Amino acid sequence: MSWAWSRLRSALSPAAVSARGATNQGAARRWLSAWPAPQEPGMEYQDAVRMLNTLQTNAGYLEQAKRQRNDPQAQLEAMEVFLGRSGLKVEDLNQLNIIHVTGTKGKGSTCAFTEHILRNYGLKTGFFSSPHLVQVRERIRINGKPISSELFTQHFWRLYHRLEEFQDDSHISMPSYFRFLTLMAFHIFLQEKVDLAVVEVGIGGAYDCTNIIRKPVVCGVSSLGIDHTSLLGDTMEKIAWQKGGIFKPGVPAFTVLQPEGPLAVLRDRAQQISCPLYLCPPLEALEEGWLPLTLGLEGEHQRSNAALALQLARCWLEQRDQFVKSALGSERTDSRPKDIQELKVSRPSIQLQLPLAPVFRPTAHMRRGLRDTEWPGRTQILQRGPLTWYLDGAHTTSSVQACVRWYCQSLKRSKRLSGGPEVHILLFNSTGDRDSAAMLKLLQPCQFDYAVFCPNLAEVSSTGNADQQNFTVTLDQVLLRCLQHQQHWSSLGEKQASSDVWSSPGPEAGGPGSLLLALHPPHQTSTSSLVFSCISHALQWISQGRDPIFQPQSSPRSLLSHPIANSGASILREADAIHVLVTGSLHLVGGVLRLLDPSLSQ
């Protein structure tokens, strides 16, 4: 039995579980009891991830966080304690030249654009993001690439043992899952001597553990929306107040155009903190008179994220004097003032008197950075034989709206090689306190032939892959949630059918080439729906062995036991084209990607 495995067993012993007081530990121990001790080389990474999983936040912690949200100082002080125990001071983080980004929608894409732009200048970059899609080490990147399994394992155990030294009856020795990874990212970035670190906020801003950062170089706020209401508040104004919590005195901050109420809150927060806050001009203003910008990420909503990223990158370069000459050189940006009305910024922003960020000519490095940015799981398309997978981790109502626009535009651009039938499928899941009924209502106009629901579990049992484990919920809970999604979808279909009962369906009722009318009587427009116990089973039914890469060993007999599944299987096997939209959760998208592209797990 390996040393690491012994440590893992010890950490999950009854005594250790009792000391930590976490119900998740018991669940983790039961899952681990069936695992053989790892004997093969290279298993140490999975050992580290399994130990990390024992720190996953449980429901009790979330309730405590809600009670303490009016005392952010206490939470940040706890993070400072963990940072000190790990061997760092808060002042040490200033060496990282951090770009700190929050927001509800597009903060990850904004960070990806920003990091890629600055990497194009020859700078060594660190990038901390969440959540991960396939492997947890994706959250910590050096020069755009996830850190190696060896580096992750080395730093995990080093930090774990250092924090473990402080365990006694009166102290909690280990921070929660996300806090631990945040500490680990800071240590790795400092050891790797990155020129800068792009740090994405986890949840909110004011109370997020990344807000231990005191002197970032620049801050950014992407588009705001409703999400994590139990922690951040149930209005956009309350959420904006939380997001504005990352502002720092004298540190420039940028935001994109927001609704008037939340924008006013951001402005007031910035004024109270003495933070210079600027409104980003639309991307069109930076393209005017020059070549249009090409973005590596699809979707009209990415233009807002790109506009914010350009301002963050330019501000960082200007703030870091030692890099300005070598980085900008002859490509120094050409700034020019613009009148607010000339830039077509909406009237509410004029009334708010928020200063506009500079309009400048993007350099060649900036253009290449935007063009070459890749961010898996966000407006991503995979073409596999007759199957086209559309992957977007939209998980709020506003981001689902953007996803629907992107999906419909992508369908219009796709060229059909024959006039044969097409099948359109929705693969969906949603977690937490998100309004899945509202999200599904936005997806209904896409006129899917089938709606498929499953938990964010790649396999029924994920014991073989620690990166995909989640001890914060039970299998019963996630399956019940999927059944609720199906009920919402059926209810929407019944309402649609009752409103259409007196009208004759037109030739486009199911979309071009759709098999919808072949499945339902002419007066019924509701979509057939299915629930599967895991992502693998859902993909097996959808692909019917026609995906050239995803070829499971065998299919459970239960996949065809339902009449709709049985009849749909023959339709899927005969269709000329199958379009599958995967959305509602980044974790769902990550599980799908892991199965469709096994190389991501290597």
Side-chain angles (χ1 to χ4, degrees), residues 32-48:
L32 288 170
S33 62
W35 290 340
Q39 303 294 332
E40 301 177 14
M43 287 296 288
E44 291 79 6
Y45 167 72
Q46 289 288 305
D47 291 341

Side-chain angles (χ1 to χ4, degrees), residues 113-114 117 283 286 293 305-315 360 362-363 366-367 370:
F113 277 132
T114 305
I117 289 171
L283 202 60
L286 278 64
L293 294 163
N305 300 328
L308 176 57
L310 284 169
Q311 295 291 344
L312 294 174
R314 179 185 182 278
C315 182
F360 59 91
T363 67
M366 292 175 176
R367 289 178 172 275
L370 292 177

Side-chain angles (χ1 to χ4, degrees), residues 143-193:
N143 285 334
K145 295 182 179 180
I147 60 173
S148 67
S149 299
E150 293 76 16
L151 189 62
F152 182 95
T153 304
Q154 171 192 338
H155 278 275
F156 174 85
W157 289 116
R158 181 180 298 170
L159 180 59
Y160 190 92
H161 295 324
R162 187 172 291 172
L163 293 174
E164 196 175 35
E165 294 175 0
F166 293 89
Q167 181 173 351
D168 57 39
D169 294 338
S170 59
H171 292 93
I172 299 175
S173 65
M174 292 298 160
S176 61
Y177 184 94
F178 184 77
R179 284 185 175 184
F180 191 100
L181 287 171
T182 304
L183 293 171
M184 198 166 147
F186 290 151
H187 277 271
I188 291 174
F189 294 156
L190 285 168
Q191 177 174 301
E192 294 295 316
K193 295 181 171 58

